[in-house]
Amino acid sequence: MKEQLQVLKAEALAEIGNANESKVLNEIRVKYLGKKGSLTAILRGMGSLSAEERPVIGELANKVRQEIEIAIDERLITVEAAEQAAILAKERIDIFLPGRQRKKGFPHPLQLVIEEIEEIFLGLGFTIAEGPEVETDYHSFEALNLPKNHPARDMQDSLYITQDIVLRPHTSPVQIRTMEKLNPQPIRIIAPGRVYRRDALDATHSPIFHQIEGLVVDEGITFGDLKGILTIFAKRLFGEDRQVRFRPSYFPFTEPSAEVDVSCGCNGKGCRICKGSGWLEILGAGSVNPVVLQMSKYDPDKVSGFAFGMGVERIAMLKYEINDIRVFLENDQRFLAQF
Ligand code: DAH
């Protein structure tokens, strides 16, 4: 029996030494020391021993049990540490991995131009007004001295929603809304916004574009004020060295009316941008037609005014020498990143 115990111990220790998994070590524990284990089986045979042998074998059996237990526990420490290390290595998160860089957005060139123009007029004492993009026929045309069937309505090929509701073809209805709101106070506003026309998209036309409207109404406003303000504006926007000229024109809502040109950067030599003329047309303007003042309940005998309107895309194209209006709508990063 002594020998059996020695052999069992040697076998157990050898198995323990070879075990590389905690699971295996636990199996070894059960195999040798468990209720149905081999050590228990040997001890069950102790009944046949003599009274002198029994305590000796008993003591030896206890020692063997202890030694196997200690060996398993010690081995477990090493094996479990290795297992833990393997899990940590596998589940390791590298918190020092650099994050993915997000691409930065850019302000749209049209937004930049609108903001630049706003800054100039804010500096001249103007405030910013707004109006709806879905407008009434009245605000879009009638109140601007464009009655139904007036031939000048052809100047804007408009997109109608119903007979009386239209996608505004210009920002001029904001003039009317401002007069309705501020009457009888003096007015000095600009109104940037989106406008719509029944035009096919090509290099110079877009069914959606932007305008900035201007309106000044007060006592004693003259065409000289219009010339002064718009000359300052054009020079601030395009450069102090530029010339500004006023050409007679026609708009139903202004009388007299003018178109305003700024001299081209080519300095009169004539280039692709000014098509050889040396001048760039930048806006329409005029003294507010007394009929328009009257319809919005301002007394043309007491007050007068001037108004102007410009296309933002057109100004951006001239300023940045862009020759195709479609680039503003395409959101091509290579284009947008340049501003
Ligand atoms: N509404 C005109 C257009 O869309 C632009 C314009 C011209 C506005 C003269 C004005 C103005 O206020 O006085 O073409």
Side-chain angles (χ1 to χ4, degrees):
M1 226 168 176
K2 231 182 191 171
E3 243 165 62
Q4 268 183 310
L5 284 169
Q6 298 295 5
V7 169
L8 179 140
K9 180 177 130 182
E11 270 176 17
L13 292 182
E15 272 185 50
I16 291 166
N18 286 331
N20 284 320
E21 288 175 58
S22 50
K23 194 175 126 234
V24 173
L25 284 166
N26 287 325
E27 282 163 9
I28 292 172
R29 194 194 297 274
V30 173
K31 177 177 165 193
Y32 289 97
L33 311 177
K35 261 193 204 144
K36 292 178 187 162
S38 19
L39 183 65
T40 321
I42 292 174
L43 291 178
R44 238 178 240 131
M46 276 184 39
S48 59
L49 294 176
S50 67
E52 300 94 69
E53 276 176 320
R54 215 173 285 154
V56 180
I57 295 296
E59 199 191 328
L60 180 64
N62 275 335
K63 256 179 83 186
V64 167
R65 165 183 288 278
Q66 254 178 26
E67 279 176 64
I68 293 173
E69 256 168 8
I70 289 170
I72 289 174
D73 287 344
E74 276 178 356
R75 184 72 191 145
L76 260 180
I77 291 172
T78 322
V79 168
E80 278 179 351
E83 284 172 349
Q84 194 67 32
I87 290 170
L88 285 177
K90 204 172 104 194
E91 296 181 354
R92 178 189 159 110
I93 297 169
D94 183 356
I95 59 166
F96 295 106
L97 189 70
R100 279 192 200 95
Q101 195 95 38
R102 271 174 192 268
K103 276 203 184 125
K104 275 201 195 122
F106 314 96
H108 195 279
L110 291 178
Q111 186 59 30
L112 289 177
V113 168
I114 289 171
E115 280 171 14
E116 196 178 342
I117 294 172
E118 285 178 349
E119 279 307 313
I120 295 171
F121 281 104
L122 288 171
L124 293 167
F126 284 67
T127 55
I128 293 169
E130 278 185 0
E133 290 175 23
V134 182
E135 254 301 4
T136 62
D137 183 88
Y138 172 79
H139 290 91
S140 305
F141 299 114
E142 306 261 330
L144 287 159
N145 193 30
L146 273 145
K148 289 209 163 70
N149 303 319
H150 190 289
R153 279 211 187 191
D154 293 345
M155 287 166 79
Q156 285 112 17
D157 239 337
S158 308
L159 291 154
Y160 277 86
I161 306 231
T162 68
Q163 274 222 316
D164 300 315
I165 305 288
V166 65
L167 292 181
R168 66 177 181 194
H170 53 184
T171 43
S172 301
V174 186
Q175 287 189 29
I176 307 307
R177 291 195 174 269
T178 307
M179 285 193 277
E180 288 173 350
K181 198 166 111 191
L182 294 188
N183 193 350
Q185 301 167 63
I187 296 169
R188 199 183 293 174
I189 55 109
I190 56 164
R194 201 181 287 156
V195 298
Y196 303 82
R197 294 206 189 158
R198 216 171 56 219
D199 273 326
L201 187 64
D202 65 22
T204 51
H205 298 84
S206 165
I208 300 176
F209 59 102
H210 299 78
Q211 285 188 338
I212 297 179
E213 191 77 14
L215 176 67
V216 173
V217 177
D218 204 347
E219 287 173 19
I221 300 292
T222 67
F223 200 86
D225 294 315
L226 176 157
K227 285 184 79 175
I229 292 282
L230 293 181
T231 302
I232 290 170
F233 162 69
K235 283 174 175 271
R236 292 225 176 124
L237 189 63
F238 284 92
E240 292 297 330
D241 54 328
R242 300 290 182 103
Q243 307 295 305
V244 181
R245 77 176 184 189
F246 296 76
R247 275 183 294 111
S249 184
Y250 169 76
F251 299 103
F253 26 90
T254 46
E255 182 58 38
S257 303
E259 263 160 343
V260 181
D261 299 341
V262 65
S263 62
C264 183
C266 70
N267 235 333
K269 282 193 209 85
C271 70
R272 201 171 40 83
I273 301 159
C274 61
K275 300 202 180 79
S277 73
W279 293 95
L280 309 168
E281 184 192 321
I282 57 164
L283 54 83
S287 295
V288 180
N289 193 324
V291 173
V292 171
L293 289 173
Q294 195 145 41
M295 269 192 280
S296 290
K297 313 267 173 0
Y298 274 83
D299 183 352
D301 291 332
K302 282 202 189 126
V303 296
S304 50
F306 68 84
F308 54 91
M310 65 190 99
V312 178
E313 278 79 356
R314 180 171 171 76
I315 292 204
M317 287 167 83
L318 296 173
K319 205 172 146 66
Y320 296 123
E321 301 187 4
I322 294 164
N323 54 22
D324 194 323
I325 199 171
R326 289 170 287 201
V327 293
F328 294 121
L329 299 163
E330 283 165 355
N331 277 332
D332 186 328
Q333 293 285 311
R334 293 166 301 179
F335 168 70
L336 297 176
Q338 293 176 50
F339 298 92

